[in-house]
Amino acid sequence: MSKIRQILRLYQQGWGKQRIAQQCGVARNTLKKHLATYAATGLSPQALEGLSDHELEALIVAPQQKPTNQKLDQLLALFPVIDK
């Protein structure tokens, strides 16, 4: 079971946010973001059960985007070893 699914199940069972964060090992701010994203989707608990763990994570967890900086990209192109 994915961590996101566990968080949502505990939340639906009426657990408090602090207790869920401790149980799942996530920061409270991260938990709040996940719950806010879940609320924004408007999905029912039954709809969540139909999603795979991968689909659920893609829906709730926003992909990490690397900020783009043109000058930094040019510099890293000159020194490819530094990028590692």
Side-chain angles (χ1 to χ4, degrees), residues 1 3 6 17 21 23 27 33 41 44-46 49 52 55-57 64-66 69-70 73 75-76 78 81-82:
M1 176 187 324
K3 193 174 284 195
Q6 183 180 10
K17 292 176 185 173
Q23 178 71 27
K33 288 178 187 176
T41 63
S44 67
Q46 293 80 17
E49 292 298 324
S52 69
E55 292 171 330
L56 184 61
E57 286 194 30
Q64 298 291 330
Q65 293 183 350
K66 184 178 172 183
N69 183 335
Q70 186 178 7
D73 291 339
L75 182 64
L76 291 176
L78 295 172
V81 177
I82 295 175

Side-chain angles (χ1 to χ4, degrees), residues 1-14:
M1 176 187 324
S2 76
K3 193 174 284 195
I4 301 294
R5 190 173 303 278
Q6 183 180 10
I7 287 170
L8 295 177
R9 281 188 180 164
L10 294 175
Y11 182 70
Q12 291 166 357
Q13 292 175 2

Side-chain angles (χ1 to χ4, degrees), residues 6-72:
Q6 183 180 10
I7 287 170
L8 295 177
R9 281 188 180 164
L10 294 175
Y11 182 70
Q12 291 166 357
Q13 292 175 2
W15 285 40
K17 292 176 185 173
Q18 184 174 2
R19 187 173 173 203
I20 295 171
Q22 289 173 344
Q23 178 71 27
C24 296
V26 296
R28 284 185 294 160
N29 285 339
T30 302
L31 176 72
K32 289 177 188 178
K33 288 178 187 176
H34 290 338
L35 293 177
T37 304
Y38 164 66
T41 63
L43 291 174
S44 67
Q46 293 80 17
L48 289 177
E49 292 298 324
L51 297 175
S52 69
D53 287 345
H54 179 58
E55 292 171 330
L56 184 61
E57 286 194 30
L59 182 67
I60 301 297
V61 179
Q64 298 291 330
Q65 293 183 350
K66 184 178 172 183
T68 58
N69 183 335
Q70 186 178 7
K71 288 184 180 182
L72 178 61

